[in-house]
Amino acid sequence: SVFTIVKDVQGELWVGTDGKGLNYFDPKKSKFFTLHIDDTLQKKINLSSIYAILPENSNFLWVGTSGYGMYKLEINKSTKPYSVKSYKQFIFKENDPNSLSNNIVYSIIRDDATHLWIATRGGGLNRFNVQTEKFHAFRFTPNNPNALSSDDILCLYKDQKGYLWAGTSLGLNKLTKYKDHQPVFIHFTEKEGLPNNTIHGILEDNQNNLWLSTNKGIAKIIKEKKSFRIIAYNKKDGLQNNEF
């Protein structure tokens, strides 16, 4: 069960799976390897159910897991296979507003030079300051139309214009602006024409249209001057299945 595949700056592919361990593919040797963890670290690091990987540079990885929070791994590439040189784990802590808001992390993307966006399943959206190592959570708030539509976030994407999109199990959210230091989200759901409210993935094509994978087919969001148009595709249109 492969959850994520990302390419680092050296062209190697890092693969997150449901099983234990973190894998990488060396294109020069056309082989897969498992990242080595020393016996001293083996009992401290739990690299399994990896849903998100973000290479920081050639030597660091941010890794999101299902149940074990987020890791920052320093990779020693002088060993064969590569090994973990050092690590730091970030987890949810009760009564600590600066901690990760949930230990199930499905997506990690870069916001700017000092911040990451982190999607959690049940803890909403986290903005993480990599220098202070503090998290700020944005959550669903009842009776607030500008808040997230759900705290159950499956995927994140930053478009070419710099807007953040968050796919949840209750629709798509676009971060449009900040008002009184609080983010303002607009929502796209089945009411607006999505085939389904569960959004698994988001990509942008070279015409700046967004493509969403859902539980009931694929949706194309066409950005027009002052609005959006949604086209849905499902099994009847030739897809091999409806869930992506």
Side-chain angles (χ1 to χ4, degrees):
S1 296
V2 175
F3 294 140
T4 185
I5 305 171
V6 295
K7 187 182 285 188
D8 66 15
V9 292
Q10 293 181 325
E12 290 167 324
L13 297 175
W14 292 88
V15 183
T17 70
D18 196 21
K20 196 171 178 65
L22 180 57
N23 309 279
Y24 67 93
F25 180 75
D26 185 339
K28 294 176 183 175
K29 295 182 179 179
S30 294
K31 284 186 179 181
F32 283 95
F33 297 92
T34 301
L35 182 67
H36 178 70
I37 303 174
D38 290 338
D39 292 339
T40 53
L41 296 179
Q42 196 72 249
K43 294 178 182 178
K44 300 176 183 178
I45 301 178
N46 198 328
L47 290 178
S48 59
S49 294
I50 295 172
Y51 277 82
I53 303 170
L54 177 66
E56 179 75 22
N57 50 42
S58 60
N59 297 316
F60 284 95
L61 295 174
W62 298 98
V63 177
T65 71
S66 180
Y68 308 102
M70 181 175 77
Y71 286 93
K72 184 181 183 182
L73 302 178
E74 184 181 5
I75 309 299
N76 182 356
K77 291 194 171 182
S78 65
T79 61
K80 300 296 179 187
Y82 298 159
S83 58
V84 176
K85 189 174 183 179
S86 66
Y87 81 99
K88 187 155 192 175
Q89 185 182 19
F90 301 90
I91 58 171
F92 168 70
K93 295 175 183 174
E94 203 76 57
N95 302 318
D96 183 357
N98 294 316
S99 77
L100 182 65
S101 63
N102 190 284
N103 286 329
I104 302 176
V105 175
Y106 263 35
S107 184
I108 306 169
I109 66 170
R110 171 68 58 183
D111 182 23
D112 55 32
T114 54
H115 293 91
L116 304 178
W117 287 112
I118 298 155
T120 73
R121 297 210 64 175
L125 177 66
N126 286 236
R127 193 165 187 257
F128 176 62
N129 188 313
V130 298
Q131 294 177 348
T132 65
E133 296 188 341
K134 290 182 178 180
F135 295 82
H136 183 73
F138 302 108
R139 292 177 174 269
F140 165 75
T141 307
N143 304 317
N144 180 0
N146 295 329
L148 280 168
S149 62
S150 170
D151 284 338
D152 185 28
I153 303 178
L154 303 173
C155 57
L156 297 173
Y157 185 78
K158 200 169 184 183
D159 69 21
Q160 293 174 26
K161 292 185 177 179
Y163 288 107
L164 177 73
W165 298 80
T168 77
S169 56
L170 282 171
L172 179 68
N173 296 252
K174 180 186 180 184
L175 175 55
T176 58
K177 61 182 178 179
Y178 286 89
K179 185 178 180 182
D180 299 326
H181 303 290
Q182 290 299 315
V184 175
F185 292 95
I186 59 172
H187 310 134
F188 299 84
T189 64
E190 291 175 14
K191 290 179 182 177
E192 284 73 40
L194 291 183
N196 184 259
N197 283 335
T198 301
I199 313 298
H200 290 291
I202 308 167
L203 286 175
E204 186 176 13
D205 65 24
N206 54 14
Q207 276 88 41
N208 303 120
N209 304 306
L210 289 185
W211 292 82
L212 314 175
S213 53
T214 80
N215 276 1
K216 289 185 179 177
I218 290 176
K220 180 182 182 182
I221 298 186
I222 301 167
K223 303 175 191 177
E224 296 179 333
K225 285 186 178 179
K226 293 185 179 180
S227 63
F228 294 84
R229 185 161 53 93
I230 299 174
I231 302 174
Y233 302 91
N234 57 38
K235 202 170 180 180
K236 292 177 183 176
D237 299 297
L239 299 181
Q240 80 273 23
N241 206 328
N242 279 340
E243 184 171 352
F244 281 74

